[in-house]
Amino acid sequence: MAWKLNKDKCVECGACVSVCPFSALELEKNGLVNYPDKCTLCGICERACPVSAIKVEKEAKAAGKAEAKKQKKTRK
Amino acid sequence: MDMSGTSDVIIVGSGPAGSHCAKKLAQAGLDVKVFDRRNEVGAPKRCGEGLDKKAEQLIGRIPDRCIAQKIRGARVYAPNGKHLEAPGEGYVLERKVFDKWLATEAAKAGADIRAGTLVRELIVDGGVVKGIRGEIDGDPFEARTKLVIAATGAESPLPKQAGIDTTVSLKLIDTCYQYEMVGVKSDPNFIHVYMGNALAPRGYGWIFCKGNTTANVGIGVIPHETNPKVYLDRFVATHPDVKDASIIEVNAGGVPVGGMLQNMVSDGFIVCGEAAHHVNPIHGGGIKEALISGQIAAEVAADCLKKNDISRKALEPYNDGWWKERGGHVRKVEKAREVIEKMTDDDFNLLVDVLRPNDVIELTQGKPEAFLRVIAKNPQLLKFAQYLM
């Protein structure tokens, strides 16, 4: 999986959840969960995280960003 | 709490917006249930804990036990270290005590609250929100209601399930890291705000004193490659007032700094507070905005429930009401933030040199007249005029 969470760093603040354009993240009872069927690996969550707990792999990210852009266009 | 039957209102979230809304609705004689996902209302805090004294106009006198420190103003520091003192009465709160007090007020008014309850999804029937599905210690349950009010903070999936997109744009969130520290030497009568592009890009550093040499020390920044913890550690290591202090709590989180929702209602559903991005876009203060937001939601909800009409159309006065009473002002502050964001460290140094204390207050209230007046007296500041165009 190209979306990786360092659980030791994660403080479950939810900043990533609030910025995810695809509702791919949720704060469940036992921590942050990523839903791969919704996640496009755009990397926005990685940026928003105050503790750098999320890592989205580079090639996967480029494809994800393109997907995010495309989705934005169709939503408009 | 008895989950059977149909409530008038289910409020998700027992923070300032949810609890205050619950109290108002219960006072109006309505049957209200409130759920909070945390095991303890108000804890852990994700907040600098500052509150304008004017908030007491909404909630009444705040009990002393909720107040860590009374504040008589703000000191705003330029990158060169010079500061400007802006008068203003307020408090630095102890959120865990304050939030429980607000919840207690709601419970005393007749609201039924249950902490330790995760609300996972809305029950939507024919496009109308009719209840919630949740979990208590992993055991699922359902609760039916006429109206759901989401006061969940910015990180909940619920509004999207009602067709309201509350996604915070990466450009409109500040990512923040904070230590509560002991042994802080800053003057406790003030909150201390540090500006500077190297110190806190697009945000600021803060020392919010809590008395007894305790203070919330934090930094908020625009999301980019370097996280706010790095900025905070640098700030703490180099600031004489805090570098020898101990850390007794660590907090982190994001705060919306603009992009307030145009539409906050759906059939059987309202979103309010931070979830609707009701936060001051310059200083990131959300408590007072949450109280106002929750109160307006309660007024509209009570009205609609009396008429037995909780359709989107009937609830739309919440949109109009919030934007008329509060949104115009918050939008002006957002525009002022857009100006401040463009400033260089030299610009900040110059401003702290020439601005009077009341100008700073007017600035955080979103009044660009403060700039115009100062520019008239100081032509070297003319370049700021372009930011206001």
Side-chain angles (χ1 to χ4, degrees), chain A residues 5 7 9-10 25-26 28 30-31 36 39-40 43 45 50:
Chain A
L5 176 69
K7 281 217 159 188
K9 283 191 171 170
C10 178
L25 294 168
E26 266 188 53
E28 312 267 319
N30 42 353
C39 178
T40 66
C45 53

Side-chain angles (χ1 to χ4, degrees), chain A residues 6-20:
Chain A
N6 182 334
K7 281 217 159 188
D8 290 330
K9 283 191 171 170
C10 178
V11 292
E12 298 180 25
C13 71
C16 55
V17 180
S18 60
V19 297
C20 177

Side-chain angles (χ1 to χ4, degrees), chain B residues 43-314:
Chain B
K45 67 180 187 286
R46 201 191 311 150
C47 185
E49 302 184 293
L51 182 63
D52 181 355
K53 189 171 164 68
K54 291 197 200 84
E56 287 179 316
Q57 292 167 9
L58 290 154
I59 55 178
R61 193 183 151 270
I62 298 170
D64 285 345
R65 69 182 187 281
C66 303
I67 297 168
Q69 175 70 44
K70 290 190 177 147
I71 297 294
R72 64 166 196 262
R75 284 192 179 151
V76 181
Y77 298 78
N80 64 12
K82 282 197 186 161
H83 75 267
L84 180 58
E85 196 172 290
E89 277 188 283
Y91 307 113
V92 179
L93 302 169
E94 190 64 48
R95 280 291 302 266
K96 56 171 81 67
V97 183
F98 175 77
D99 281 32
K100 270 192 180 156
W101 169 65
L102 285 177
T104 305
E105 291 289 289
K108 274 168 27 185
D112 196 357
I113 306 175
R114 202 193 189 289
T117 308
L118 175 62
V119 175
R120 296 182 140 276
E121 56 178 344
L122 300 173
I123 298 172
V124 185
D125 186 4
V128 182
V129 175
K130 293 202 171 157
I132 58 99
R133 286 192 188 94
E135 259 175 46
I136 295 169
D137 298 332
D139 296 327
F141 76 97
E142 267 186 24
R144 298 268 158 176
T145 186
K146 295 175 188 165
L147 176 69
V148 172
I149 298 180
T152 51
E155 72 276 17
S156 164
L158 298 183
K160 284 182 191 171
Q161 294 170 15
I164 298 170
D165 189 357
T166 53
T167 307
V168 183
S169 154
L170 203 58
K171 293 199 190 94
L172 294 176
I173 192 169
D174 270 4
T175 179
C176 309
Y177 206 76
Q178 171 175 271
Y179 297 132
E180 185 171 339
M181 304 182 86
V182 183
V184 174
K185 299 176 182 143
S186 311
D187 187 328
N189 295 295
F190 296 92
I191 56 168
H192 304 267
V193 172
Y194 295 84
M195 308 297 296
N197 290 301
L199 191 152
R202 206 281 292 276
Y204 65 94
W206 65 85
I207 297 177
F208 284 11
C209 298
K210 296 182 74 170
N212 299 315
T213 78
T214 307
N216 288 329
V217 182
I219 300 241
V221 301
I222 185 171
H224 60 289
E225 319 75 48
T226 309
N227 72 35
K229 180 179 185 299
V230 171
Y231 289 96
L232 181 59
D233 286 339
R234 196 182 298 159
F235 177 71
V236 169
T238 53
H239 196 304
D241 286 354
V242 297
K243 70 179 177 50
D244 298 320
S246 291
I247 298 171
I248 56 172
E249 189 169 330
V250 180
N251 307 117
V255 57
V257 290
M260 296 73 66
L261 304 185
Q262 286 297 326
N263 175 50
M264 298 170 277
V265 301
S266 180
D267 292 320
F269 185 84
I270 299 177
V271 57
C272 69
E274 187 197 87
H277 309 173
H278 295 168
V279 177
N280 183 297
I282 284 182
H283 60 60
I287 303 171
K288 189 172 82 175
E289 297 303 332
L291 296 169
I292 295 170
S293 183
Q295 181 152 313
I296 299 174
E299 286 162 5
V300 173
D303 211 45
C304 290
L305 285 159
K306 227 175 276 168
K307 298 175 190 153
N308 209 18
D309 184 358
I310 41 72
S311 64
R312 174 182 167 149
K313 194 158 197 284

